[in-house]
Amino acid sequence: MSQAMTLARPYARAAFAVARDAARLPAWSDALAFAARVAADPQVAALLGNPKLTRDDALVLLAPDAAGEEFSHFLGLLFDNRRLALLPEIAGLFDELRFEAERVVRARVTSAAALPAAELETIKAALRRRFGREVEVETAVDPALLGGAVIDAGDVVIDGSLKGKLARLQAALAH
């Protein structure tokens, strides 16, 4: 585990606890995602490390308008502890905690071409049955797969791509 993830974990847990207690998990998830995207921008990242940056300026830059006072306090805490650069890791860990609490599995479906909505729904239904949880699917296209798809759902990877099948066939023939 990277040092950034180790440093980010207590902040993510604290943010999760505050958001859960306030019944605002989706709002906090959105606000953290926004702040993480902003903080990850190279120009902003350089600015966040500047000692002349004030707390108020950082909050204006990173907090979405509808985030709420508790979120601003959280960002202020990160500013005071010089941890604003950890926002991308904090947002990722927060979402992991949220999806675990809401019993949601995140899956990434990478296919050689864009999948029709009906096929995507079929994949989601199969994943729901397999994991016994709701499934949130993110899609991506990688023409290098040649055909089929690769499904990455946490610890489970299902490679149904033509590229993967060819690689397995080549390995079997080599032995």
Side-chain angles (χ1 to χ4, degrees), residues 36-78:
R37 279 191 309 275
V38 173
D41 180 271
Q43 290 179 321
V44 174
L47 182 63
L48 293 178
N50 188 326
K52 293 182 180 179
L53 180 70
T54 67
R55 185 179 213 243
D56 290 339
D57 289 340
L59 295 180
V60 167
L61 184 64
L62 296 169
D65 294 335
E69 191 174 326
E70 288 177 328
F71 186 75
S72 293
H73 287 302
F74 178 72
L75 288 178
L77 175 72
L78 292 177

Side-chain angles (χ1 to χ4, degrees), residues 114-125:
L115 294 174
E119 282 186 47
L120 203 52
E121 281 305 314
T122 301
I123 291 170
K124 282 176 72 171

